[in-house]
Amino acid sequence: MRLSIFAAATAAALLLGSTTTATADVQRGGCGQLKARSDRACLAAKDSRGPWVALHVERRRGHDWAWASGMISDRGRLWLEVSHDGHTKTVGMRRAPADGSTGQSLLSTRSVYDGPGYRVRACGNEANGAHRACTRWH
């Protein structure tokens, strides 16, 4: 009996262990301790085994601007995804230090425009792309 490519890949991932997190493992909601004073809106996502990220939305000169913050483990990453005109790009990538002194670092990205026609979300993961968490789109 021949296995399809999908079935073979799934079986290999189960045997070797997967580096991605199932959506059910990511909890989304309010920002809690990551909330900033200047936030007009704040969305958060947390993987119970990994990153905790927040999307901060501020009002500046009549327009929304968004930035991300998060508690990221050593060698993990924090970034923003911006969608506009059907294209999504990654911006503001930050990597946590790999010195092992803290275990987790509080990181933040630069601000990006989040006005009409734009959608933004914050994402983070652990080293090697494990346990990814992303907020809802704003």
Side-chain angles (χ1 to χ4, degrees):
M1 175 166 83
R2 291 176 44 180
L3 288 175
S4 70
I5 293 173
F6 175 75
T10 303
L14 289 173
L15 290 173
L16 298 174
S18 176
T19 60
T20 60
T21 300
T23 304
D25 294 337
V26 177
Q27 300 170 5
R28 293 180 179 86
C31 290
Q33 296 173 343
L34 291 178
K35 185 168 176 39
R37 245 184 252 170
S38 59
D39 288 346
R40 184 181 71 73
C42 190
L43 305 172
K46 183 175 184 177
D47 184 304
S48 60
R49 301 167 293 172
W52 179 17
V53 298
L55 176 69
H56 306 272
V57 180
E58 301 175 350
R59 189 68 130 175
R60 296 185 199 162
R61 295 182 294 269
H63 298 284
D64 283 346
W65 288 78
W67 57 282
S69 70
M71 291 300 296
I72 307 296
S73 63
D74 285 357
R75 295 183 314 276
R77 296 177 298 175
L78 173 73
W79 68 92
L80 287 167
E81 292 182 356
V82 180
S83 179
H84 179 65
D85 287 338
H87 302 284
T88 301
K89 64 181 178 178
T90 299
V91 296
M93 180 76 69
R94 296 286 313 275
R95 183 178 299 273
D99 60 8
S101 63
T102 61
Q104 284 198 327
S105 298
L106 179 61
L107 300 178
S108 62
T109 67
R110 64 182 175 88
S111 296
V112 297
Y113 180 74
D114 185 24
Y118 286 81
R119 294 180 351 146
V120 180
R121 71 178 179 174
C123 295
N125 63 14
E126 290 189 330
N128 301 320
H131 308 296
R132 177 181 165 160
C134 291
T135 66
R136 290 186 179 98
W137 288 96
H138 180 272

